[in-house]
Amino acid sequence: MKRFLLSLLLLSISIALSAEFLVEDELLTPEPSPKWGGTLRLVLPSTPESFLMYGTLDSSTYSITMGPMFSPLVEMHPVTNEIKPALAKSWTVSSDGKEVTFHLREAYWSDGKPITSDDVIFTFKYFVMNQFARGNSIDRFTIPDEKGVNKMIEWIKIDDKTVKALLPSPYGAFYTVLSHVYIYPKHKLEPLIDKNDLGSVNKIWLSNTDPKEIVVNGPFKPVQLITDQKLILERNPNFWKVDKYGYRLPYFDKIEYLIIRDEQVRLAKFMAGEIDFMAISSRDYPMLKEQELAGKTPYVVYATQPNQPTPSPIHISFNFDVDDPELKELFRKLEFREAMEYALNRQRIIEEVFAGLAIPDAGLMLPSNKAFYNPKIEQLLRPYDLKKANELLDKIGLTRRDREGYRLFTTGKRVEFNLLVQSSPKEYQDVALIFAEDLRKIGIKVNLQILDASLVGQMFGAGNFQAGIRAFGNQPDPQLRKAIWQPGTQLYYWHYSTMDKTKTPPQPVFENMFDWEKRIWELFEKGQVEMDPVKRKAYYDEWQELYHIYLPVIFVCKGMNIWGFNKNLGNAGLTKEGMLRFTVWTSYRK
Amino acid sequence: MRRILIMIPMMFFISVICFIVTELQPGDFLSQYLENPRISPQQIETLRRELALDKPAHQRYLIWIKNIVTKGDFGYSFSYQRPVVELIWERLGWTVAISILTIGFQWLFATLMGIYSALHPYRAGDYTLSILGFVGLSIPEFFLALVLMYLTLKLGGTTVGGLFSPQFIGSPMSWAKFIDLLKHLWLPIVVIGLSGLAGLMRIMRGNMLDVLGSPFVTALRARGLDEKTIRRHVIKNALNPLVSIAGMELPNVFSGTIIASIVLNLPTIGPFFYNALLNHDQYLVMTFLMFIAIITQIGNLLADIALALLDPRINIS
């Protein structure tokens, strides 16, 4: 027995010695004397549907798995968005840019088994590239080869600690998409999968799983889930990151996620100091800040430069394929869309709707995204100027007006259109009201069509609208939003005639595209296969300019991100550049 | 026996109506993903096939019913991918506990208040109780919950929202945990219970007044029975109609408290059902509705039986 214990001890020491740790950087751990132990208290809006992020589309599952429980091969830095090593300690690219070899870190699962290339290949085969997995990412890992035929990226095992990715052609956004692939344990999950029914991957590690079965490679592992009340995670003793002093992370022993559905209750718990960190809505910011400044609150709140995909920047679109022939001709005129942008009072919207907590110059990319943002678009935004808007409308021949002051088409019909808006979030309606009010001043009648969100989504999806207000999130790399902003795709909903829906997958229809749309289509194709970051940025710079010159949609503004922290949370707050600094593995209780 | 047999076609009828209503809701489970650029249109098609949402509604309904009848399988939740019965079962414990306590609270106070009012009609006490009851009836539950939570916080209480303080959630049962539960539990019981209180109290009061004025009471008095005995007979008789509506009360408490449960952050079925409704998680919604329907029917049946026990003149054939 003694000998057994001794050998166990020796084994654990050798494991500790052989492990290769990553030192977490100064940006996330600026404070000099961190403390260990305690519980980090966070909040979830609903019980996670699963612990397997690829088997579900549930956002609570994403919150707990992407980061707190699992790690990817390469990581995106939480503050700077730079790609850095994670489970892969290094990688090399072949000279033609089509083979990337990853060298895995000497790291272990929470149950002590080594993390190997088998886990990587398993994760790709059964989850990421499995078309029956609900949360798969096949589209992100399928790219055209030199002949333009779509092919999947292949993974091959070199040895236990080396895997190679074979790309059909160089792929600029490869590391960005890879940073969203979290690696799952083969030795635990493979026995649960029915190999004859690949849809069975959706049924494993659901919310009724015994937490003891769940093995992780991130900082925390689950220990208990109390339905609709709480989820408890515990430190993973084998986490592969250390702080600058060489001590193993995370600092906290536990994370407790309170499950609270109602936004007001969440806020009340945060104000009472029962929640350490959460996102705050812009509506609540003034009240919280006021109380904070009055002193005695257990929390601090910050409005940060937007660096998150949500809240989505709101845009206004005009349907280029609308049924009404006169409106169709009008919407396709650039002067009309320019007039619409001149009539858009961004400043008033930001002040009245967003309580001043929004920025006007973000849409396709965020200014905080140094890798891709093109600051030139700030000059391209047309400022609120009703006189200019009027002139432009006069110029395109809408000079006659009726008795009520509305402009008339040459046929004598009044210039009016329906603006389709979903009823929640409320900001959309408020933007629509202000916009409609200003259009009234330049003689255009807007009928607001405010409907339930799911119905509105369907109507947009079917191209059944005249004009609309909608929002799509940003992403760190434009490639990830190709499905929205490239003409000829399902989400390029304001110009559906650029897409042939009868083919699977749908094909672009070039003869229906404007010249500038063809160019945008091309820029996406070029940006996708370019590996040189400088050249990629040039492509996407041009793309951003084209959007602001030709206005396929008019961006309104983007809400800032607002965060609340408990005052006694260490290594949490803002960086010098006003960016959010917080991770579950570097924060601690002061 | 006949009553129980009637329940079967009744349930079938209810299920058809519920299914039609859920179908009429615009969109389906997948429409929430249409805007998500991470999910390709092809994938939505695959999911649609997997969930059988591409089949016409009547076909889906028949498959659903067939599985219930033949296998006792109420279907899968689209989002949780687990059997709906299991999901509902997980959340039923607290729902039933809170419902029963609430009904107990309602009945206790409603009958006591009703009796007091009826014995002191048109006097200050009667009016005060009536006003109190009607205030409870007219204030929306969620609002009452917010007001009470605010007042508790203002008065220095910290035990607000949920059933336990965070540190007790998931810990093994102990005396401290039980005390903590009691500190939280009164709020939902009062909030949910207060709304039904006025109705029950008015019924009790009305019945009491009716019975008090009825000839048999006069007869009892004429025979010189003491007031205490008379009162016992009066109360027993007045309770009759109250028992017959008891069957309705359980589903009311079950389903009528969804918003209050969201505001109070209770781990009951209500908020869960509400979410399923928003997500078009059809089988979950259907099963829950059927569950409410069967509870109503069983409640009515039990009320009838209780009535028969209370009053031998009523006979269940």
Side-chain angles (χ1 to χ4, degrees):
Chain A
M1 190 63 201
K2 215 170 190 180
R3 179 173 288 176
F4 173 72
L5 280 178
L6 196 68
S7 61
L8 202 69
L9 189 71
L10 280 175
L11 185 74
S12 58
I13 289 173
S14 69
I15 285 179
L17 289 178
S18 67
E20 294 169 302
F21 292 104
L22 180 121
V23 183
E24 193 50 272
D25 72 7
E26 186 75 14
L27 210 50
L28 290 175
T29 56
E31 292 176 31
S33 50
K35 289 188 189 127
W36 272 260
T39 302
L40 176 65
R41 299 157 310 167
L42 303 175
V43 69
L44 282 177
S46 62
T47 307
E49 288 167 8
S50 170
F51 291 102
L52 179 72
M53 58 172 275
Y54 302 106
T56 180
L57 299 166
D58 168 47
S59 60
S60 286
T61 301
Y62 292 161
S63 311
I64 58 160
T65 51
M66 299 171 85
M69 281 170 60
F70 293 94
S71 306
L73 276 184
V74 301
E75 222 169 43
M76 195 175 276
H77 192 284
V79 178
T80 62
N81 278 1
E82 277 166 327
I83 296 293
K84 54 181 205 133
L87 292 179
K89 61 181 174 187
S90 63
W91 52 91
T92 48
V93 188
S94 68
S95 54
D96 63 354
K98 285 160 64 170
E99 285 182 19
V100 188
T101 314
F102 292 93
H103 304 283
L104 301 189
R105 188 179 301 283
E106 196 63 47
Y108 300 87
W109 291 101
S110 56
D111 63 354
K113 296 252 175 14
I115 299 169
T116 67
S117 8
D118 289 330
D119 293 314
V120 178
I121 289 169
F122 170 78
T123 302
F124 270 93
K125 183 173 172 196
Y126 286 102
F127 305 135
V128 182
M129 304 306 279
N130 172 359
Q131 58 158 319
F132 299 103
R134 279 202 186 176
N136 73 50
S137 314
I138 296 178
D139 282 5
R140 289 181 172 184
F141 290 91
T142 306
I143 52 168
D145 65 5
E146 262 104 41
K147 294 188 200 93
V149 183
N150 276 325
K151 282 204 177 130
M152 289 182 183
I153 291 172
E154 269 181 73
W155 291 83
I156 44 174
K157 176 179 175 177
I158 307 294
D159 60 45
D160 270 358
K161 288 287 174 189
T162 321
V163 272
K164 194 187 256 184
L166 302 178
L167 314 179
S169 49
Y171 182 27
F174 182 53
Y175 304 110
T176 313
V177 292
L178 202 57
S179 69
H180 290 74
V181 172
Y182 291 79
I183 305 299
Y184 273 73
K186 180 184 179 188
H187 66 283
K188 275 286 173 186
L189 290 175
E190 199 173 28
L192 303 177
I193 298 173
D194 176 359
K195 297 259 166 83
N196 298 318
D197 170 19
L198 287 180
S200 61
V201 299
N202 297 326
K203 300 237 150 78
I204 56 182
W205 277 8
L206 295 175
S207 50
N208 55 349
T209 312
D210 177 3
K212 282 193 218 64
E213 289 300 308
I214 291 168
V215 164
V216 301
N217 53 15
F220 292 93
K221 59 176 184 185
V223 285
Q224 197 184 11
L225 171 64
I226 303 122
T227 304
D228 288 357
Q229 295 190 66
K230 194 159 90 172
L231 170 69
I232 306 174
L233 307 181
E234 222 171 58
R235 160 204 301 278
N236 167 13
N238 293 335
F239 188 49
W240 46 273
K241 278 186 185 171
V242 294
D243 68 3
K244 56 193 166 194
Y245 310 106
Y247 293 114
R248 206 186 288 233
L249 294 170
Y251 293 123
F252 276 110
D253 283 339
K254 267 190 191 176
I255 303 182
E256 287 184 358
Y257 285 98
L258 289 179
I259 298 166
I260 302 175
R261 202 172 297 262
D262 186 65
E263 210 183 324
Q264 297 307 318
V265 182
R266 283 203 288 272
L267 188 65
K269 295 254 181 203
F270 171 72
M271 290 172 72
E274 287 181 34
I275 292 166
D276 286 322
F277 169 78
M278 71 174 210
I280 306 280
S281 88
S282 59
R283 211 177 38 242
D284 298 321
Y285 178 80
M287 181 265 293
L288 290 173
K289 195 75 197 174
E290 198 179 304
Q291 298 212 353
E292 180 198 322
L293 293 177
K296 284 188 183 164
T297 52
Y299 58 80
V300 279
V301 282
Y302 299 110
T304 66
Q305 271 298 309
N307 64 341
Q308 303 277 318
T310 55
S312 298
I314 297 176
H315 65 253
I316 302 168
S317 56
F318 295 92
N319 191 350
F320 291 159
D321 297 315
V322 69
D323 291 337
D324 185 318
E326 276 161 315
L327 280 182
K328 185 167 163 180
E329 200 197 321
L330 183 67
F331 290 169
R332 285 172 175 238
K333 280 191 183 128
L334 177 60
E335 290 87 351
F336 170 77
R337 299 197 300 278
E338 283 185 307
M340 292 298 103
E341 192 179 5
Y342 279 120
L344 175 68
N345 193 344
R346 288 195 176 91
Q347 215 42 53
R348 182 174 161 209
I349 288 169
I350 290 174
E351 274 158 31
E352 290 180 15
V353 183
F354 291 86
L357 298 167
I359 56 167
D361 42 13
L364 294 164
M365 279 289 134
L366 299 175
S368 61
N369 186 341
K370 298 283 181 270
F372 286 104
Y373 181 69
N374 180 358
K376 217 166 144 190
I377 66 137
E378 287 156 38
Q379 273 90 56
L380 293 173
L381 290 181
R382 294 164 188 83
Y384 178 59
D385 187 341
L386 290 181
K387 208 171 129 241
K388 274 219 175 101
N390 263 322
E391 281 167 14
L392 279 163
L393 293 175
D394 288 343
K395 202 177 128 197
I396 52 175
L398 302 172
T399 44
R400 278 172 60 213
R401 298 201 183 213
D402 64 9
R403 246 180 275 148
E404 288 172 59
Y406 288 115
R407 288 170 190 272
L408 298 172
F409 284 115
T410 42
T411 54
K413 211 177 80 185
R414 185 187 269 176
V415 182
E416 67 175 309
F417 57 80
N418 299 332
L419 186 65
L420 182 61
V421 190
Q422 60 190 53
S423 54
S424 70
K426 182 138 187 315
E427 283 91 13
Y428 293 19
Q429 288 181 51
D430 295 342
V431 169
L433 281 169
I434 292 176
F435 187 53
E437 202 180 296
D438 280 315
L439 289 195
R440 166 82 188 82
K441 291 183 201 149
I442 55 169
I444 289 179
K445 183 155 192 239
V446 178
N447 307 310
L448 293 183
Q449 212 177 350
I450 300 172
L451 297 166
D452 176 67
S454 65
L455 192 61
V456 168
Q458 273 188 341
M459 289 169 74
F460 280 132
N464 175 22
F465 72 105
Q466 297 187 329
I469 290 190
R470 212 179 183 188
F472 291 131
N474 303 73
Q475 277 290 334
D477 193 312
Q479 168 71 18
L480 302 178
R481 284 296 178 262
K482 197 178 163 211
I484 304 173
W485 309 120
Q486 186 184 40
T489 50
Q490 176 61 29
L491 290 173
Y492 199 81
Y493 66 98
W494 52 89
H495 200 178
Y496 268 145
S497 58
T498 57
M499 176 178 68
D500 185 355
K501 278 194 195 188
T502 56
K503 300 211 175 77
T504 30
Q507 297 295 316
V509 183
F510 295 105
E511 57 266 35
N512 288 340
M513 285 187 198
F514 295 104
D515 287 338
W516 51 269
E517 284 185 308
K518 275 180 213 154
R519 179 66 186 156
I520 290 171
W521 190 90
E522 221 172 80
L523 287 169
F524 269 107
E525 296 303 302
K526 288 188 167 158
Q528 174 170 279
V529 295
E530 181 57 62
M531 287 293 241
D532 179 357
V534 179
K535 284 191 193 147
R536 285 193 80 210
K537 177 157 177 12
Y539 291 136
Y540 292 120
D541 276 351
E542 189 184 340
W543 158 67
Q544 290 171 63
E545 284 163 34
L546 286 175
Y547 255 80
H548 284 276
I549 293 167
Y550 293 103
L551 299 173
V553 300
I554 302 169
F555 287 106
V556 181
C557 64
K558 157 103 181 169
M560 289 166 104
N561 290 107
I562 301 159
W563 306 99
F565 298 89
N566 196 300
K567 268 182 185 160
N568 59 20
L569 214 55
N571 284 339
L574 293 196
T575 66
K576 261 183 247 135
E577 284 83 32
M579 305 285 282
L580 168 73
R581 170 183 8 241
F582 171 82
T583 71
V584 293
W585 60 90
T586 54
S587 57
Y588 69 95
R589 178 92 50 213
K590 280 189 219 168
Chain B
M1 194 60 212
R2 205 167 52 101
R3 280 290 306 268
I4 294 170
L5 281 179
I6 284 178
M7 278 164 71
I8 294 169
M10 191 76 158
M11 288 304 290
F12 178 73
F13 193 60
I14 293 172
S15 76
V16 174
I17 293 178
C18 289
F19 198 84
I20 292 171
V21 171
T22 55
E23 273 301 312
L24 285 179
Q25 218 188 342
D28 61 27
F29 176 67
L30 293 170
S31 31
Q32 56 183 314
Y33 300 121
L34 287 175
E35 284 192 25
N36 190 340
R38 251 201 79 180
I39 299 158
S40 64
Q42 293 92 296
Q43 200 185 333
I44 289 185
E45 276 319 300
T46 317
L47 269 174
R48 183 158 277 144
R49 268 197 307 279
E50 187 196 312
L51 301 174
L53 284 172
D54 54 342
K55 295 208 173 73
H58 66 271
Q59 237 174 13
R60 269 181 290 134
Y61 174 76
L62 287 178
I63 296 172
W64 185 65
I65 282 287
K66 199 184 117 208
N67 282 335
I68 294 174
V69 176
T70 57
K71 294 186 245 166
D73 172 11
F74 282 81
Y76 271 76
S77 153
F78 292 155
S79 54
Y80 285 82
Q81 300 173 74
R82 291 172 53 196
V84 291
V85 174
E86 201 180 299
L87 288 165
I88 291 176
W89 188 248
E90 257 175 26
R91 289 161 176 85
L92 208 56
W94 283 115
T95 314
V96 170
I98 291 172
S99 302
I100 288 176
L101 286 172
T102 307
I103 291 176
F105 162 83
Q106 270 182 356
W107 274 64
L108 187 69
F109 281 84
T111 39
L112 288 180
M113 284 160 78
I115 292 168
Y116 178 84
S117 288
L119 293 178
H120 310 83
Y122 310 113
R123 271 187 254 158
D126 179 23
Y127 287 129
T128 319
L129 288 178
S130 298
I131 288 171
L132 213 73
F134 283 120
V135 166
L137 188 69
S138 54
I139 294 183
E141 282 170 1
F142 77 92
F143 183 70
L144 186 64
L146 286 176
V147 169
L148 281 180
M149 266 160 58
Y150 176 77
L151 287 179
T152 329
L153 283 177
K154 269 275 136 160
L155 294 174
T158 49
T159 51
V160 163
L163 285 178
F164 297 103
S165 306
Q167 69 268 28
F168 287 112
I169 301 175
S171 71
M173 201 64 203
S174 64
W175 185 243
K177 187 177 174 178
F178 183 68
I179 298 288
D180 186 62
L181 173 66
L182 290 186
K183 279 187 194 161
H184 284 84
L185 205 53
W186 68 270
L187 194 65
I189 289 178
V190 169
V191 168
I192 302 169
L194 215 55
S195 63
L197 203 61
L200 286 172
M201 176 197 143
R202 295 305 285 186
I203 292 171
M204 187 66 199
R205 180 178 175 277
N207 292 337
M208 281 284 285
L209 286 176
D210 276 355
V211 180
L212 277 174
S214 68
F216 91 91
V217 174
T218 320
L220 289 177
R221 284 218 173 95
R223 294 192 183 174
L225 249 69
D226 67 299
E227 209 47 32
K228 219 174 147 190
T229 322
I230 294 174
R231 229 178 255 178
R232 211 179 63 226
H233 283 281
V234 170
I235 290 172
K236 203 176 154 193
N237 273 285
L239 271 174
N240 243 355
L242 216 55
V243 172
S244 60
I245 61 162
M248 313 283 282
E249 209 44 40
L250 194 61
N252 268 351
V253 173
F254 253 55
S255 60
T257 57
I258 293 173
I259 303 293
S261 289
I262 293 175
V263 173
L264 289 170
N265 196 35
L266 302 180
T268 61
I269 193 96
F272 184 65
F273 171 68
Y274 175 71
N275 227 33
L277 208 56
L278 290 185
N279 284 343
H280 303 270
D281 204 338
Q282 200 174 17
Y283 299 135
L284 195 55
V285 170
M286 286 294 297
T287 308
F288 183 69
L289 290 176
M290 297 305 291
F291 178 71
I292 291 283
I294 193 109
I295 290 272
T296 314
Q297 300 218 26
I298 291 174
N300 277 335
L301 189 69
L302 289 179
D304 285 350
I305 293 169
L307 212 53
L309 293 177
L310 202 69
D311 186 348
R313 283 174 303 174
I314 299 167
N315 202 353
I316 29 169
S317 47

